[in-house]
Amino acid sequence: MIDYEKKINQLLHDQFGFARFRPGQEETIRAVLDHRNTLAVLPTGAGKSLLYQLPGYLFAGTVIIISPLISLMQDQVDRLHRQGESAVVMLNGQLVGPERRRVLGQLGRFRFVFISPEMLANETVLAAFARVKISLLVVDEAHCISQWGPDFRPEYLLLKEIRHRLGDPRTLLLTATATPAVRQDILAKMGLAASDVAVIVQSVDRSNIFLAVKNTTGQADKQEELLALVNKYQGPGVIYFASRKLASQMAAWLTSKTTLNVAAYHAGVTAVERFRIQEQFMNNQLQVICATSAFGMGIDKNDIRYVIHFHLPSNLENYLQEIGRAGRDGKQSIAILLYSAGDELIQRQLTTITVPPVEILAQVKQGKLAPAVLGEQADLFSFYLQHNFAPAQIARAFNRRQQQLERELQQLLAYVHSDGCRREYILHYFGENLRARPSYCCDNDEADIDEVPIETSLSTHPTDTTADWASQLRRLLNITER
Ligand SMILES: [Zn+2]
């Protein structure tokens, strides 16, 4: 056996520049080093990438990281480059032709390979991995395994089979939030017996985030409330919207109504522009970001002081992930959900699935009807048909999923309308109890939200930072090309 003890701390310090582990990190890394399959449920900002990066330097072979979003993968790849790691590659649909063949031909030379689940399901890719020593298989956003519906990646359902094809390598499942039922379901869908898996769960409680809900009387009132909050708390802050269009409109509106620099950040913004926004936000040249919840954000900023939701998130899991961006430096921060009666209709519209009748699904399967008859979600239904799910099974699963989405929305609404402690409500939802109530807990405990001490010490920077970000972009491109 290698003397891991000394090496772990040496790596943590020298390679990653940390003095000590954050809660949950050490336990998880030890379980992985003990060759155990591991499920780690650690809140956003707990430092999840270290959990596979550190073992990656102790094991011989390649670490495969399955990630659902290119932006998340790109972010991790950039970070590894910045740490001086060059044996890292990202495999996704954008990698084609000779370049793809070259990478697949020498997979074993990479220490870290990031890949989308659909790419890993590809036969050529699986064959290439068969020639590689896999030291660890990492499934990021593992809660995707437990979901059915238009709001997730169906390819995650193939992971059990893919893992088997790869020779059942040691596996690390990572997620930020998962109720006990979801944890169980993740293991079941991966074909792992609970007794064979080390499960590490950190409390979802973020005691330095004050929780509040503001009731408003409609769109106009809500907008005024938002303006008042943004003027009061300044930034850095993130505001979530249900649509790209509204995120962009409100960013423009807030820019015109305040002295702050505000930008929209969502999948409709070009990659170069997103990069510029990230850099400016990191440097406090931008104070507020208007984002959509559908878009994974590659921004790891420690001093975000507030997260405001202009619209309802889809459930408490997502809400917690999104507000978890605030206060990673441990300082007092605040999460405010703006609500006006009927907001749930928008959310319901976003998550509604029209499930085709079983007979129609069957006829598409037999090739008697074109998949287009399956409607807006045709690709999704086709995916299941192609992977030999029976039409009745698909219809049943989607109807069940629809009911589950409605249940989750009701639980979120109960949070909104609750007059009890909001922190307790969230903790109960995730199967936890409140151990200690922080001094600034929630608007139902405190007399006045205005008493919550939020630092608004943003320095104002000149708006023209073009030269600055251009040089940083060049630097990044140089690093990536290496
Ligand atoms: Zn409370």
Side-chain angles (χ1 to χ4, degrees), residues 4 31-37 51-65 107-108 110-113 129 131-138 163 166-172:
Y4 280 143
V32 170
L33 294 179
D34 277 349
H35 299 271
R36 301 201 58 190
N37 293 319
L51 305 178
Y52 57 82
Q53 287 180 9
L54 196 148
Y57 287 99
L58 290 170
F59 294 143
T62 300
V63 180
I64 305 178
I65 303 107
L107 274 181
F110 295 99
R111 195 190 295 275
F112 301 105
V113 177
F129 273 109
R131 298 189 294 269
V132 172
K133 180 178 168 50
I134 300 167
S135 61
L136 181 65
L137 178 71
V138 182
R163 178 174 180 269
L166 293 172
D168 293 319
R170 161 178 38 199
T171 301
L172 171 62

Side-chain angles (χ1 to χ4, degrees), residues 178-180 183 202-207 211 316 320 415 421-438 441:
T179 60
R183 280 173 229 157
Q202 276 294 304
S203 172
V204 296
D205 190 18
R206 296 281 307 279
S207 58
L211 303 167
L316 279 167
L320 232 64
Y415 170 83
C421 174
R422 299 195 192 279
R423 195 169 304 274
E424 273 183 48
Y425 183 92
I426 287 178
L427 289 177
H428 287 166
Y429 181 83
F430 288 101
E432 291 184 44
N433 288 312
L434 181 64
R435 273 167 287 186
R437 196 181 308 278
C441 177

